[in-house]
Coordinates of all heavy atoms in Angstrom, one line a residue:
M5 N -2.4 10.2 15.8 CA -2.2 9.4 14.6 C -2.9 8.1 14.8 O -2.8 7.4 15.8 CB -0.7 9.2 14.4 CG -0.4 8.4 13.1 SD -1.0 9.2 11.6 CE 0.0 10.7 11.6
S6 N -3.7 7.7 13.8 CA -4.5 6.5 13.9 C -3.6 5.2 13.6 O -2.6 5.3 12.9 CB -5.7 6.5 13.0 OG -5.2 6.6 11.6
I7 N -3.9 4.1 14.2 CA -3.2 2.9 14.0 C -4.1 1.9 13.2 O -5.3 1.8 13.5 CB -2.9 2.2 15.4 CG1 -2.2 3.2 16.3 CG2 -2.1 0.9 15.2 CD1 -0.8 3.5 15.9
C8 N -3.5 1.3 12.2 CA -4.2 0.4 11.4 C -4.4 -1.0 12.0 O -3.5 -1.5 12.6 CB -3.5 0.2 10.0 SG -4.4 -1.0 9.0
N9 N -5.6 -1.4 12.0 CA -5.9 -2.8 12.6 C -6.5 -3.7 11.5 O -7.1 -4.7 11.9 CB -6.9 -2.6 13.8 CG -6.2 -2.1 15.0 OD1 -5.2 -2.5 15.4 ND2 -6.8 -1.0 15.5
Q10 N -6.3 -3.4 10.3 CA -7.0 -4.2 9.2 C -6.2 -5.5 9.0 O -5.0 -5.6 9.2 CB -7.1 -3.3 8.0 CG -8.1 -2.2 8.1 CD -8.3 -1.5 6.8 OE1 -8.9 -2.1 5.9 NE2 -7.9 -0.3 6.6
E11 N -7.0 -6.4 8.4 CA -6.4 -7.7 8.1 C -5.2 -7.7 7.1 O -4.3 -8.5 7.2 CB -7.5 -8.6 7.5 CG -7.2 -10.1 7.4 CD -6.7 -10.7 8.7 OE1 -7.2 -10.3 9.7 OE2 -5.8 -11.5 8.6
H12 N -5.2 -6.7 6.3 CA -4.1 -6.6 5.3 C -2.7 -6.5 5.9 O -1.7 -6.7 5.2 CB -4.3 -5.5 4.2 CG -4.4 -4.1 4.8 ND1 -5.3 -3.2 4.3 CD2 -3.7 -3.5 5.8 CE1 -5.1 -2.1 4.9 NE2 -4.2 -2.2 5.9
R13 N -2.6 -6.2 7.2 CA -1.3 -6.1 7.8 C -0.6 -7.5 7.8 O 0.6 -7.6 8.0 CB -1.5 -5.7 9.3 CG -1.9 -4.2 9.4 CD -2.1 -3.9 10.9 NE -3.1 -4.8 11.4 CZ -3.1 -5.3 12.7 NH1 -2.1 -4.8 13.5 NH2 -4.0 -6.1 13.1
H14 N -1.4 -8.5 7.6 CA -0.9 -9.9 7.7 C -0.9 -10.6 6.3 O -0.6 -11.8 6.2 CB -1.7 -10.7 8.7 CG -1.7 -10.1 10.1 ND1 -0.6 -10.1 10.9 CD2 -2.6 -9.5 10.7 CE1 -0.9 -9.5 12.0 NE2 -2.1 -9.1 11.9
W15 N -1.1 -9.8 5.2 CA -1.1 -10.4 3.9 C 0.4 -10.8 3.6 O 1.3 -10.0 3.6 CB -1.6 -9.5 2.8 CG -3.0 -9.2 2.9 CD1 -4.0 -9.9 3.6 CD2 -3.8 -8.3 2.1 NE1 -5.2 -9.4 3.3 CE2 -5.1 -8.4 2.4 CE3 -3.4 -7.3 1.2 CZ2 -6.1 -7.6 1.9 CZ3 -4.4 -6.5 0.6 CH2 -5.7 -6.6 1.0
P16 N 0.6 -12.1 3.3 CA 2.0 -12.6 3.2 C 2.8 -11.9 2.1 O 4.0 -11.7 2.2 CB 1.8 -14.1 2.9 CG 0.4 -14.4 3.4 CD -0.4 -13.2 3.2
F17 N 2.1 -11.6 1.0 CA 2.9 -11.1 -0.2 C 3.5 -9.7 0.1 O 4.4 -9.3 -0.5 CB 2.1 -11.1 -1.5 CG 1.0 -10.1 -1.5 CD1 1.2 -8.8 -2.0 CD2 -0.3 -10.3 -0.9 CE1 0.2 -7.9 -2.1 CE2 -1.3 -9.4 -1.0 CZ -1.1 -8.2 -1.5
L18 N 2.9 -9.0 1.1 CA 3.4 -7.7 1.4 C 4.8 -7.8 2.2 O 5.5 -6.9 2.3 CB 2.4 -6.9 2.3 CG 1.2 -6.5 1.6 CD1 0.2 -5.9 2.5 CD2 1.5 -5.5 0.4
G19 N 5.1 -9.0 2.6 CA 6.3 -9.3 3.3 C 7.5 -9.2 2.4 O 8.7 -9.0 2.9
S20 N 7.3 -9.3 1.1 CA 8.4 -9.2 0.2 C 8.8 -7.8 -0.3 O 9.7 -7.6 -1.0 CB 8.2 -10.1 -1.0 OG 7.0 -9.7 -1.7
L21 N 8.0 -6.8 0.2 CA 8.3 -5.5 -0.1 C 9.6 -5.0 0.5 O 10.0 -5.6 1.5 CB 7.2 -4.5 0.4 CG 5.8 -4.7 -0.3 CD1 4.8 -3.8 0.5 CD2 5.9 -4.3 -1.8
P22 N 10.3 -4.1 -0.1 CA 11.5 -3.6 0.5 C 11.3 -2.9 1.8 O 10.2 -2.3 2.1 CB 12.1 -2.6 -0.5 CG 10.9 -2.2 -1.4 CD 10.0 -3.4 -1.4
H23 N 12.3 -2.9 2.7 CA 12.2 -2.2 4.0 C 12.4 -0.7 3.8 O 13.2 -0.3 2.9 CB 13.3 -2.7 4.9 CG 12.8 -3.8 5.8 ND1 12.2 -3.6 7.0 CD2 13.0 -5.1 5.6 CE1 11.9 -4.8 7.5 NE2 12.4 -5.8 6.7
D24 N 11.6 0.1 4.5 CA 11.8 1.5 4.5 C 12.8 1.8 5.7 O 12.4 1.5 6.9 CB 10.5 2.3 4.7 CG 10.7 3.8 4.5 OD1 11.7 4.3 5.1 OD2 9.9 4.4 3.8
Q25 N 14.0 2.2 5.4 CA 15.0 2.2 6.4 C 15.0 3.4 7.4 O 15.8 3.5 8.2 CB 16.4 2.1 5.7 CG 16.7 0.9 4.9 CD 16.9 -0.3 5.8 OE1 16.8 -0.3 7.0 NE2 17.1 -1.5 5.2
G26 N 14.1 4.2 7.2 CA 14.0 5.4 8.1 C 13.5 6.6 7.4 O 13.6 7.7 7.9
G27 N 12.9 6.4 6.3 CA 12.2 7.5 5.6 C 10.9 7.9 6.3 O 10.5 7.3 7.2
F28 N 10.3 8.8 5.7 CA 9.0 9.3 6.2 C 8.0 8.2 6.3 O 7.1 8.2 7.2 CB 8.5 10.5 5.4 CG 7.2 11.0 5.9 CD1 7.1 11.6 7.1 CD2 6.1 10.9 5.0 CE1 5.8 12.1 7.5 CE2 4.9 11.4 5.4 CZ 4.7 12.0 6.7
G29 N 8.0 7.3 5.3 CA 7.0 6.3 5.3 C 7.2 5.1 6.2 O 6.3 4.2 6.2
R30 N 8.2 5.1 6.9 CA 8.6 3.9 7.7 C 7.5 3.4 8.6 O 7.4 2.2 8.7 CB 9.9 4.3 8.5 CG 10.4 3.1 9.4 CD 11.7 3.6 10.0 NE 12.1 2.7 11.1 CZ 12.8 1.5 10.9 NH1 13.0 1.1 9.7 NH2 13.1 0.8 11.9
H31 N 6.8 4.2 9.2 CA 5.8 3.8 10.2 C 4.3 3.8 9.6 O 3.4 3.4 10.3 CB 5.8 4.6 11.4 CG 7.1 4.5 12.2 ND1 7.5 3.4 12.8 CD2 8.1 5.4 12.3 CE1 8.7 3.5 13.3 NE2 9.1 4.8 13.1
K32 N 4.2 4.1 8.3 CA 2.9 4.1 7.7 C 2.6 2.7 7.3 O 3.4 1.8 7.0 CB 3.0 5.0 6.4 CG 3.2 6.4 6.7 CD 2.1 7.0 7.6 CE 2.3 8.5 7.9 NZ 1.2 9.0 8.6
C33 N 1.2 2.4 7.2 CA 0.8 1.0 6.9 C 0.9 0.8 5.4 O 0.2 1.4 4.6 CB -0.7 0.8 7.4 SG -1.3 -0.8 7.0
A34 N 1.8 -0.2 5.1 CA 2.0 -0.5 3.7 C 0.8 -1.2 3.1 O 0.5 -1.2 1.9 CB 3.2 -1.4 3.5
G35 N 0.0 -1.9 4.0 CA -1.3 -2.5 3.5 C -2.3 -1.5 3.0 O -2.9 -1.6 2.0
C36 N -2.4 -0.4 3.8 CA -3.3 0.7 3.4 C -2.8 1.3 2.1 O -3.5 1.7 1.2 CB -3.4 1.7 4.5 SG -4.4 1.2 5.9
A37 N -1.4 1.5 2.0 CA -0.8 2.1 0.8 C -1.1 1.2 -0.4 O -1.5 1.7 -1.5 CB 0.7 2.2 0.9
Y38 N -1.1 -0.1 -0.2 CA -1.3 -1.1 -1.3 C -2.8 -0.9 -1.8 O -3.0 -0.8 -3.0 CB -1.1 -2.5 -0.8 CG -1.4 -3.5 -1.9 CD1 -0.5 -4.0 -2.8 CD2 -2.7 -4.1 -2.0 CE1 -0.8 -4.9 -3.8 CE2 -3.0 -5.0 -3.0 CZ -2.1 -5.4 -3.9 OH -2.4 -6.3 -4.8
E39 N -3.7 -0.8 -0.8 CA -5.1 -0.7 -1.2 C -5.4 0.6 -1.9 O -6.2 0.6 -2.9 CB -6.0 -0.9 0.0 CG -5.7 -2.3 0.7 CD -7.0 -2.9 1.3 OE1 -8.1 -2.7 0.7 OE2 -6.9 -3.5 2.4
L40 N -4.8 1.6 -1.5 CA -4.9 2.9 -2.1 C -4.4 2.9 -3.6 O -5.1 3.3 -4.5 CB -4.1 4.0 -1.4 CG -4.6 5.4 -1.3 CD1 -5.9 5.5 -0.6 CD2 -3.6 6.3 -0.5
G41 N -3.3 2.2 -3.8 CA -2.7 2.1 -5.1 C -3.6 1.2 -6.0 O -3.7 1.4 -7.2
Y42 N -4.1 0.1 -5.4 CA -5.0 -0.8 -6.1 C -6.2 -0.1 -6.7 O -6.6 -0.3 -7.8 CB -5.4 -1.9 -5.2 CG -6.0 -3.1 -5.9 CD1 -5.2 -4.2 -6.4 CD2 -7.4 -3.2 -6.1 CE1 -5.8 -5.3 -7.0 CE2 -7.9 -4.3 -6.8 CZ -7.1 -5.3 -7.2 OH -7.7 -6.4 -7.9
Q43 N -6.8 0.8 -5.8 CA -8.0 1.5 -6.3 C -7.6 2.5 -7.4 O -8.4 2.6 -8.4 CB -8.6 2.3 -5.1 CG -9.2 1.4 -4.1 CD -9.4 2.0 -2.7 OE1 -9.3 3.2 -2.6 NE2 -9.6 1.2 -1.7
A44 N -6.5 3.1 -7.3 CA -6.0 4.0 -8.3 C -5.8 3.2 -9.6 O -6.1 3.7 -10.7 CB -4.8 4.8 -7.9
G45 N -5.2 2.0 -9.5 CA -4.9 1.2 -10.7 C -6.2 0.7 -11.4 O -6.3 0.7 -12.6
Q46 N -7.2 0.4 -10.6 CA -8.5 0.0 -11.2 C -9.1 1.1 -11.9 O -9.8 0.9 -12.9 CB -9.4 -0.6 -10.1 CG -9.0 -2.0 -9.6 CD -10.1 -2.6 -8.8 OE1 -10.7 -2.1 -7.9 NE2 -10.4 -3.9 -9.2
R47 N -8.9 2.3 -11.5 CA -9.5 3.5 -12.2 C -8.5 3.9 -13.3 O -8.9 4.8 -14.1 CB -9.6 4.7 -11.2 CG -10.7 4.5 -10.1 CD -10.9 5.8 -9.4 NE -9.7 6.3 -8.8 CZ -9.4 6.1 -7.5 NH1 -10.1 5.5 -6.7 NH2 -8.3 6.6 -7.0
R48 N -7.3 3.3 -13.3 CA -6.3 3.7 -14.2 C -6.0 5.2 -14.1 O -5.9 5.9 -15.2 CB -6.6 3.3 -15.7 CG -6.6 1.8 -15.8 CD -6.9 1.4 -17.3 NE -7.6 0.1 -17.3 CZ -8.3 -0.3 -18.4 NH1 -8.4 0.5 -19.5 NH2 -8.9 -1.4 -18.3
D49 N -5.9 5.7 -12.9 CA -5.6 7.1 -12.7 C -4.3 7.5 -13.5 O -3.3 6.7 -13.5 CB -5.3 7.3 -11.2 CG -6.6 7.4 -10.4 OD1 -7.7 7.2 -11.0 OD2 -6.6 7.6 -9.2
E50 N -4.3 8.6 -14.1 CA -3.1 9.1 -14.8 C -2.3 10.1 -14.0 O -1.2 10.5 -14.4 CB -3.5 9.6 -16.2 CG -4.0 8.5 -17.0 CD -4.7 8.9 -18.3 OE1 -4.7 10.2 -18.6 OE2 -5.2 8.1 -19.0
Q51 N -2.9 10.6 -12.9 CA -2.2 11.5 -12.0 C -2.1 10.7 -10.7 O -3.1 10.5 -10.1 CB -2.9 12.8 -11.8 CG -3.1 13.6 -13.1 CD -2.0 14.5 -13.4 OE1 -1.1 14.8 -12.5 NE2 -1.9 14.9 -14.6
I52 N -0.9 10.3 -10.3 CA -0.7 9.5 -9.2 C -0.3 10.3 -8.0 O 0.7 11.0 -8.1 CB 0.3 8.3 -9.4 CG1 -0.1 7.5 -10.6 CG2 0.4 7.4 -8.2 CD1 -1.4 6.8 -10.5
Y53 N -1.0 10.2 -6.9 CA -0.5 10.9 -5.7 C -0.6 10.0 -4.5 O -1.7 9.5 -4.2 CB -1.4 12.2 -5.5 CG -1.1 13.0 -4.3 CD1 0.2 13.6 -4.2 CD2 -2.0 13.1 -3.3 CE1 0.5 14.3 -3.0 CE2 -1.7 13.8 -2.1 CZ -0.4 14.4 -2.0 OH -0.1 15.1 -0.9
I54 N 0.5 9.8 -3.9 CA 0.5 8.9 -2.7 C 0.4 9.8 -1.5 O 1.4 10.5 -1.1 CB 1.8 8.1 -2.6 CG1 2.1 7.4 -3.9 CG2 1.7 7.1 -1.4 CD1 3.4 6.6 -3.9
D55 N -0.8 9.8 -0.9 CA -1.0 10.7 0.2 C -0.6 10.0 1.5 O -1.4 9.5 2.2 CB -2.5 11.1 0.2 CG -2.7 12.2 1.3 OD1 -1.8 12.7 1.9 OD2 -3.9 12.5 1.5
L56 N 0.7 10.0 1.8 CA 1.2 9.3 3.0 C 0.6 9.8 4.2 O 0.4 9.1 5.2 CB 2.8 9.4 3.0 CG 3.6 8.5 2.1 CD1 5.1 8.8 2.4 CD2 3.2 7.1 2.3
D57 N 0.4 11.1 4.3 CA -0.2 11.7 5.5 C -1.5 11.1 5.9 O -1.9 11.1 7.0 CB -0.3 13.3 5.3 CG 0.9 14.0 5.7 OD1 1.7 13.5 6.5 OD2 1.1 15.1 5.1
S58 N -2.3 10.7 4.9 CA -3.6 10.2 5.1 C -3.6 8.7 5.6 O -4.6 8.2 6.1 CB -4.5 10.2 3.9 OG -4.1 9.2 3.0
L59 N -2.4 8.1 5.5 CA -2.4 6.6 5.9 C -2.2 6.5 7.4 O -1.4 7.2 8.0 CB -1.2 6.0 5.2 CG -1.2 5.9 3.7 CD1 0.1 5.3 3.2 CD2 -2.4 5.2 3.2
P60 N -2.9 5.5 8.0 CA -2.6 5.2 9.4 C -1.3 4.5 9.6 O -0.7 4.1 8.6 CB -3.8 4.2 9.8 CG -4.1 3.6 8.5 CD -3.9 4.6 7.4
E61 N -0.8 4.5 10.8 CA 0.4 3.8 11.1 C 0.2 2.3 11.3 O -0.9 1.9 11.6 CB 1.1 4.5 12.3 CG 1.3 6.0 12.1 CD 2.4 6.5 13.0 OE1 2.8 5.8 14.0 OE2 2.8 7.7 12.8
S62 N 1.3 1.6 11.2 CA 1.1 0.1 11.5 C 2.3 -0.3 12.4 O 3.4 0.1 12.2 CB 1.2 -0.6 10.2 OG 1.0 -2.0 10.5
Q63 N 1.9 -1.1 13.4 CA 2.9 -1.5 14.4 C 3.2 -2.9 14.4 O 3.9 -3.4 15.2 CB 2.4 -1.1 15.8 CG 1.9 0.3 15.9 CD 2.8 1.2 16.6 OE1 3.4 0.8 17.6 NE2 3.0 2.4 16.2
A64 N 2.5 -3.7 13.5 CA 2.6 -5.1 13.6 C 2.3 -5.7 12.2 O 2.0 -5.0 11.3 CB 1.5 -5.7 14.6
G65 N 2.5 -7.0 12.2 CA 2.2 -7.8 11.0 C 3.3 -7.7 10.0 O 4.4 -7.2 10.2
T66 N 3.0 -8.3 8.8 CA 4.1 -8.4 7.7 C 4.4 -7.0 7.1 O 5.4 -6.9 6.5 CB 3.6 -9.3 6.6 OG1 2.3 -8.9 6.2 CG2 3.6 -10.8 7.0
V67 N 3.5 -6.0 7.3 CA 3.7 -4.7 6.7 C 4.6 -3.8 7.5 O 5.0 -2.7 7.1 CB 2.4 -4.0 6.4 CG1 1.6 -4.8 5.4 CG2 1.6 -3.7 7.7
R68 N 5.0 -4.2 8.7 CA 5.8 -3.4 9.6 C 7.1 -2.9 9.0 O 7.9 -3.8 8.5 CB 6.0 -4.1 10.9 CG 6.8 -3.3 12.0 CD 6.8 -4.1 13.3 NE 7.9 -3.7 14.2 CZ 7.8 -2.7 15.0 NH1 6.7 -2.0 15.0 NH2 8.8 -2.3 15.7
H69 N 7.3 -1.6 8.9 CA 8.5 -1.0 8.4 C 8.7 -1.3 6.9 O 9.8 -1.2 6.4 CB 9.7 -1.5 9.2 CG 9.7 -0.9 10.6 ND1 10.6 -1.3 11.5 CD2 8.9 -0.1 11.2 CE1 10.4 -0.7 12.6 NE2 9.3 0.1 12.5
K70 N 7.6 -1.7 6.2 CA 7.8 -1.9 4.7 C 7.5 -0.6 4.0 O 6.8 0.3 4.5 CB 6.7 -3.0 4.3 CG 7.0 -4.4 4.8 CD 8.4 -4.9 4.4 CE 8.6 -6.3 4.8 NZ 9.9 -6.8 4.4
S71 N 8.1 -0.5 2.8 CA 8.0 0.8 2.1 C 6.6 1.0 1.6 O 6.1 0.2 0.8 CB 8.9 0.7 0.9 OG 8.6 1.8 0.0
P72 N 5.9 2.1 2.0 CA 4.6 2.3 1.5 C 4.6 2.8 0.0 O 3.6 2.6 -0.7 CB 4.0 3.5 2.4 CG 5.2 4.1 2.9 CD 6.3 3.0 3.0
H73 N 5.7 3.3 -0.4 CA 5.9 3.7 -1.8 C 5.9 2.4 -2.7 O 5.2 2.4 -3.7 CB 7.2 4.4 -2.1 CG 7.3 5.7 -1.3 ND1 7.8 5.7 0.0 CD2 6.9 7.0 -1.6 CE1 7.7 7.0 0.5 NE2 7.2 7.7 -0.5
A74 N 6.6 1.4 -2.3 CA 6.6 0.1 -3.1 C 5.3 -0.5 -3.0 O 4.8 -1.1 -4.0 CB 7.7 -0.8 -2.5
A75 N 4.6 -0.4 -1.8 CA 3.3 -1.1 -1.7 C 2.3 -0.4 -2.6 O 1.5 -1.1 -3.2 CB 2.8 -1.0 -0.2
F76 N 2.4 0.9 -2.7 CA 1.4 1.7 -3.5 C 1.7 1.3 -5.0 O 0.7 1.0 -5.7 CB 1.6 3.2 -3.3 CG 0.6 4.0 -4.1 CD1 -0.5 4.5 -3.5 CD2 0.8 4.3 -5.4 CE1 -1.4 5.3 -4.1 CE2 -0.1 5.1 -6.1 CZ -1.2 5.6 -5.5
A77 N 2.9 1.2 -5.4 CA 3.3 0.9 -6.8 C 2.8 -0.5 -7.1 O 2.3 -0.8 -8.2 CB 4.8 1.0 -7.0
Q78 N 3.0 -1.5 -6.2 CA 2.6 -2.9 -6.4 C 1.0 -2.9 -6.5 O 0.5 -3.6 -7.4 CB 3.0 -3.7 -5.3 CG 2.6 -5.2 -5.4 CD 3.5 -5.9 -6.4 OE1 4.7 -5.9 -6.3 NE2 2.8 -6.6 -7.3
G79 N 0.4 -2.2 -5.6 CA -1.1 -2.1 -5.7 C -1.6 -1.5 -7.0 O -2.6 -2.0 -7.5
Y80 N -0.9 -0.5 -7.4 CA -1.3 0.2 -8.7 C -1.2 -0.8 -9.8 O -2.2 -1.0 -10.6 CB -0.5 1.4 -8.9 CG -1.0 2.2 -10.1 CD1 -2.0 3.1 -10.1 CD2 -0.4 2.0 -11.4 CE1 -2.4 3.8 -11.2 CE2 -0.8 2.7 -12.5 CZ -1.8 3.6 -12.4 OH -2.3 4.3 -13.5
Y81 N -0.1 -1.5 -9.9 CA 0.1 -2.5 -10.9 C -0.9 -3.6 -10.9 O -1.5 -3.9 -11.9 CB 1.5 -3.1 -10.7 CG 1.9 -4.1 -11.8 CD1 2.3 -3.7 -13.1 CD2 1.8 -5.4 -11.5 CE1 2.7 -4.6 -14.0 CE2 2.1 -6.4 -12.5 CZ 2.6 -6.0 -13.7 OH 2.9 -6.9 -14.7
D82 N -1.2 -4.1 -9.7 CA -2.2 -5.2 -9.6 C -3.6 -4.7 -9.9 O -4.4 -5.4 -10.5 CB -2.2 -5.8 -8.2 CG -0.9 -6.5 -7.9 OD1 -0.1 -6.8 -8.8 OD2 -0.6 -6.9 -6.7
G83 N -3.8 -3.4 -9.6 CA -5.1 -2.9 -9.9 C -5.4 -2.7 -11.3 O -6.5 -3.0 -11.9
V84 N -4.3 -2.2 -12.1 CA -4.4 -2.1 -13.5 C -4.7 -3.4 -14.1 O -5.5 -3.6 -15.0 CB -3.2 -1.4 -14.1 CG1 -3.2 -1.5 -15.6 CG2 -3.1 0.1 -13.6
H85 N -3.9 -4.4 -13.7 CA -4.1 -5.8 -14.2 C -5.5 -6.2 -14.0 O -6.1 -6.8 -15.0 CB -3.1 -6.7 -13.4 CG -2.0 -7.2 -14.3 ND1 -2.1 -8.4 -15.0 CD2 -0.8 -6.7 -14.4 CE1 -0.9 -8.5 -15.6 NE2 -0.1 -7.6 -15.3
S86 N -6.1 -6.0 -12.8 CA -7.4 -6.5 -12.6 C -8.4 -5.8 -13.4 O -9.5 -6.3 -13.8 CB -7.7 -6.4 -11.1 OG -8.1 -5.1 -10.7
S87 N -8.1 -4.5 -13.8 CA -9.1 -3.7 -14.6 C -9.2 -4.3 -16.0 O -10.2 -4.2 -16.6 CB -8.7 -2.3 -14.6 OG -7.6 -2.0 -15.5
Y88 N -8.1 -5.0 -16.4 CA -8.2 -5.6 -17.8 C -8.8 -7.0 -17.7 O -9.4 -7.4 -18.6 CB -6.8 -5.7 -18.4 CG -6.2 -4.3 -18.8 CD1 -5.1 -3.8 -18.2 CD2 -6.8 -3.6 -19.8 CE1 -4.6 -2.6 -18.5 CE2 -6.3 -2.4 -20.2 CZ -5.2 -1.9 -19.6 OH -4.8 -0.6 -19.9
N89 N -8.6 -7.7 -16.6 CA -9.1 -9.0 -16.5 C -10.5 -9.1 -16.0 O -11.2 -10.1 -16.1 CB -8.2 -9.8 -15.5 CG -6.8 -10.0 -16.0 OD1 -6.6 -10.0 -17.2 ND2 -5.9 -10.1 -15.0
G90 N -11.0 -7.9 -15.5 CA -12.4 -7.9 -15.0 C -12.6 -8.7 -13.8 O -13.7 -9.1 -13.5
I91 N -11.6 -8.9 -13.0 CA -11.7 -9.6 -11.8 C -12.3 -8.7 -10.7 O -11.7 -7.6 -10.5 CB -10.3 -10.2 -11.3 CG1 -9.8 -11.2 -12.3 CG2 -10.4 -10.8 -9.9 CD1 -8.4 -11.6 -12.1
Ligands
ZN105 ZN1 -3.5 -0.7 6.9

């Protein structure tokens, strides 16, 4: 299993995501989930699929033990917003 070393592990706003208390997503990188959701949001995908298996794990940073489901949803929302603002 790959380990995420990307900078998004330390993005402060991801620290406010709910904790995953022991579900399947607990060790998955919420930062990667956020970016996946963001891309889907920018495309305004109408079929949403969170491929948790494809996400690397995260052992450190603000995303540790954060819910990848919540991260994906937040990313999707932000991505849709940016698609309207043209940012
Ligand atoms: Zn990551």
